[in-house]
Amino acid sequence: MQRQRSLLVLILVLVIAAITVIVRFPIALGLDLQGGSQLTIQVKPSEEVKQITERELEAVQTVIENRVNGLGVSEPVVQTVGQDQILVQLPGVSDPEQAERVLGGTAQLDFRRENFETAALLNVRQKELSQLLLKQQELEQKGDTTAIAANQEQLQAKEKQIAELAESLFEPTGLTGKNLRNADAIPTQIGNNWSVGIEFDPRGGELFAELTKELAGTGRRLGIFLDDELISAPSVSSEFRQTGITGGRAEITGTFTAQSANELALQLRGGALPVPVEIVENRTVGATLGRDSIQRSIYAGVGGLILVLIFMVLYYRLPGLIADLALVIYALLTWATFALLGVTLTLPGIAGFILSIGMAVDANVLIFERTREELQTGKSLYRSVESGFYRAFSSILDGNVTTVIACAALFWLGAGLVRGFALTLGLGVAVSMFTAITCSRTFMLLAISFPALRKPELFCPNLPVSKKAEGAL
Amino acid sequence: MKLSVNKQRSLWWAISAAIILSGLIAMAISWRQIGTPLRPSLDFVGGTRLQLERDCSKPGNCDQPINITAVRETLASQGLGSSSIQVVGQDQQGVSIRTKTLNVEERTKLQTALREKIGAFDPKSTQIDTVGPTIGRQLLNSGLIALIVSFAGIMIYLSLRFQFDYAVLAIVALFHDVLIAVGIFSILGLVQGVEVDSLFIVALLTITGFSVNDTVVIYDRIREVLKLNPNQPINSVVDDAVNQTLARSLNTTLTTLLTLFAIFLFGGETLKNFALALIVGFIAGAYSSIFVASTLLSWWRERTTNQSQPVSAIASDAIDTSTRSDDA
């Protein structure tokens, strides 16, 4: 009886602790429940970096983290997955397209200088092109079909020349995103204008000074290329002709709005990616849909629990009621365990939890069936309950261990949502073994210590009359 | 009423065989039609699924149900004519589109085109799933490996706790349940277009755990009855054991099904097929442990004569001492 009492105290303490934990540590909801984007970013080897090592992955992660911070999402998660993937979670993101563009941009940032001769040549060719276009109009008015065709050919050749020239208009300088330290949108003093401030590392500062010294006042522009695409082409004013822009800092001015300045700064900041990346998975759930899922899960969970509770009382009578109590304690303890271990609850995770409620009853069912059998063979109530518990134990253990094996396999080998399910179901099974053996047993022995409850028919309906008398002893 | 499972064991086996066979036929047909035994969702083959819902807070936006022809035309104009389109939602105000993998530009272009044609969508109700083809293969592979590893783990555990032949037969029963679940989903894929996603593999693994659990309880009891009556014919031992555990098998399956039906009815789209797979698997699991696993064991023991009986008695003795010490 002493052992019973201390167990009862233990259970009470656990329940109070569980309720405190549940109230004080809310469970984190997965993105599928609160809405948001989950992106998997694949890091790819490039010509320069043939193999992705931990170092590259870390570097990419840092860049991605910077880009994520630039998005202004609250509580983002950036973590590496396996050898060459990065998982980004953006809860409640309002513009998934922007996020995807900013994060998935290959973003090989590259500063190039405009070639003066090419620029001049390009100018000439463009004039030639406009002359040809004029000629075309004249010819069309005259309706000379052969001349039109000939002129058309010349036009196409000219366009091709221009395209080729345009491609070689900017030449690489060796200054790349690797040398860039930071970029920020800065409001200018006058009006609503914004500009973009950039900052280089020492080597980048030197290169930049050289580059700007060369370009200052010549009318040639500095081409900033992201992924071979021109994102900005500022020119350098003549005041820097002597030394270039030194000190590793510069400001790109122009007609920027707050948003465009911000986006350019973000692109520049993210430009330090050492290797290309690609978004290979995107799962975005709208906030309303997430809320809807939570509500439906609560209905499913509560509905399932109530059905099980009713069934147990109807079928097993008093022991059923005790099992119900144990089941409610089970639900509380499991939920508290999730909160303590920092489990992020996802939709499959909730399914795992609901399912574990159904399965948690199994241990009780095994025990009560045994107890009934023992009663039917004419054993006393106390002995029936006792042997019901220890005889069912081996079955309970075997059954639960096999479920845990399946959960472990899922947890180690599965990914994302699948792991959530494995974890919640596995934890649920473990807690259910504890509650079935400890709680149900303690309550059961407590119940039969009251003479009013010590009636075999409360434990086993339809017990033959002849056995009743014996059982009551 | 006493159930004598061994008397009609060829009937039980025939029922199982018929269900499994029809599943296999469905898989063969499906293989010829789409190249896979089950209809895979984009989780496994990659692709983009866009679920959009009209913003009904705007006046006049939701007067009519979504016109599926207009959606199809818009998709065709973007070279996505082979996509599958489904109008969803209670008032037909939502549309679910499954296409090849789209990058962000292609997707934005599609969304803009759809908005122009159909009306404004509510970004809060939008769901986007894009899975690259390689990721899809990874998900499938890791799922299958998880399945194999857990089979092996369960087999080892059962061999340790019981005997090797018990373990083999439990695994046979397990394959039975998994095959039935897979077969029925193959049929559903053909008839209803039901797709299997990564949650389906999760469901199979859960069925595995549950099925073995159920079988183990009966085998446990067979071992116990055998120990008490070493000279009783195996058929009647198995019959007794099945009858003694029948109420438990049915009740456990029932309580689990109650929660699964709750998920199936209230759990929303994502979990519906998951719950259905579990319902099918668990029913198959209860059936197989009562009618298949038990009868297989008595059939096997009959064939291998009664040499194995003393061995099993030793095995259960070992368990018994452990429980006895627990009692003290």
Side-chain angles (χ1 to χ4, degrees), chain B residues 218-288:
Chain B
I218 293 182
Y219 280 3
D220 213 35
R221 191 53 83 95
I222 291 175
R223 192 166 63 178
E224 195 183 317
V225 176
L226 207 55
K227 203 195 79 185
L228 291 173
N229 317 287
N231 298 317
Q232 210 179 327
I234 184 76
N235 274 353
S236 80
V237 169
V238 169
D239 279 357
D240 283 351
V242 167
N243 277 289
Q244 285 166 16
T245 50
L246 195 60
R248 174 265 161 196
S249 289
L250 295 179
N251 286 346
T252 301
T253 309
L254 196 68
T255 53
T256 317
L257 287 182
L258 287 177
T259 52
L260 283 175
F261 274 113
I263 300 178
F264 182 73
L265 293 176
F266 308 116
E269 281 310 309
T270 327
L271 295 178
K272 224 178 192 111
N273 285 338
F274 175 65
L276 185 63
L278 288 178
I279 290 171
V280 171
F282 284 4
I283 291 174
Y287 178 84
S288 77

Side-chain angles (χ1 to χ4, degrees), chain A residues 131-455:
Chain A
Q131 275 169 0
L132 283 171
L133 282 170
L134 268 175
K135 195 174 162 197
Q136 184 81 356
Q137 279 179 344
E138 280 170 32
L139 288 171
E140 268 169 13
Q141 276 170 355
K142 281 181 196 156
D144 186 345
T145 46
T146 46
I148 289 179
N151 199 47
Q152 196 80 37
E153 239 166 66
Q154 275 186 308
L155 259 175
Q156 275 169 5
K158 197 59 68 189
E159 273 168 4
K160 205 176 154 206
Q161 274 182 343
I162 289 175
E164 274 166 15
L165 271 178
E167 234 166 65
S168 58
L169 179 62
F170 287 96
E171 43 192 31
T173 57
L175 182 64
T176 67
K178 274 182 210 154
N179 303 112
L180 191 74
R181 219 178 236 165
N182 205 1
D184 268 311
I186 321 168
T188 57
Q189 266 115 0
I190 331 144
N192 271 336
N193 254 350
W194 285 70
S195 65
V196 179
I198 47 180
E199 191 189 329
F200 293 97
D201 64 3
R203 171 84 189 122
E206 277 169 39
L207 282 170
F208 190 69
E210 254 172 60
L211 179 61
T212 43
K213 185 177 158 191
E214 196 186 329
L215 295 177
T218 60
R220 289 156 63 195
R221 292 168 304 166
L222 167 71
I224 303 176
F225 282 79
L226 194 67
D227 242 356
D228 287 329
E229 217 171 285
L230 188 67
I231 51 167
S232 180
S235 48
V236 185
S237 57
S238 52
E239 59 191 275
F240 296 109
R241 197 173 289 168
Q242 295 301 316
T243 56
I245 302 177
T246 51
R249 283 169 183 278
E251 201 171 312
I252 307 172
T253 52
T255 49
F256 288 113
T257 62
Q259 202 190 346
S260 65
N262 229 331
E263 244 174 59
L264 179 60
L266 206 57
Q267 280 176 317
L268 290 172
R269 273 208 300 275
L273 265 187
V275 277
V277 296
E278 188 192 351
I279 293 183
V280 286
E281 193 183 5
N282 168 13
R283 294 185 188 269
T284 298
V285 175
T288 319
L289 281 183
R291 208 161 40 234
D292 202 39
S293 297
I294 296 183
Q295 205 157 50
R296 282 166 166 274
S297 310
I298 291 173
Y299 286 151
V302 172
L305 185 63
I306 289 175
L307 286 176
V308 173
L309 294 179
I310 293 174
F311 172 80
M312 288 301 282
V313 173
L314 287 184
Y315 195 88
Y316 289 106
R317 310 293 168 91
L318 181 63
L321 200 65
I322 287 170
D324 284 354
L325 193 59
L327 202 60
V328 172
I329 293 177
Y330 159 79
L332 283 176
L333 289 185
T334 312
W335 196 259
T337 313
F338 292 169
L340 269 185
L341 293 181
V343 172
T344 302
L345 210 61
T346 59
L347 209 47
I350 290 186
F353 178 61
I354 298 174
L355 188 58
S356 75
I357 292 176
M359 292 169 101
V361 191
D362 181 46
N364 285 304
V365 170
L366 272 166
I367 294 163
F368 299 155
E369 287 294 334
R370 272 298 177 141
T371 308
R372 276 193 182 185
E373 276 175 49
E374 301 289 319
L375 274 173
Q376 265 153 356
T377 59
K379 281 193 184 160
S380 77
L381 194 55
Y382 184 82
R383 289 212 48 188
S384 299
V385 170
E386 269 294 325
S387 61
F389 273 92
Y390 87 72
R391 290 195 134 186
F393 184 75
S394 120
S395 293
I396 296 174
L397 184 71
D398 287 336
N400 284 333
V401 169
T402 50
T403 308
V404 169
I405 289 175
C407 286
L410 269 183
F411 187 76
W412 295 121
L413 300 163
L417 296 178
V418 173
R419 299 187 76 175
F421 173 82
L423 191 64
T424 51
L425 184 60
L427 282 177
V429 168
V431 177
S432 82
M433 274 196 71
F434 171 78
T435 49
I437 294 163
T438 323
C439 297
S440 308
R441 186 187 152 111
T442 310
F443 294 153
M444 199 77 140
L445 293 175
L446 184 74
I448 54 179
S449 68
F450 294 107
L453 295 176
R454 213 180 293 151
K455 293 185 182 121

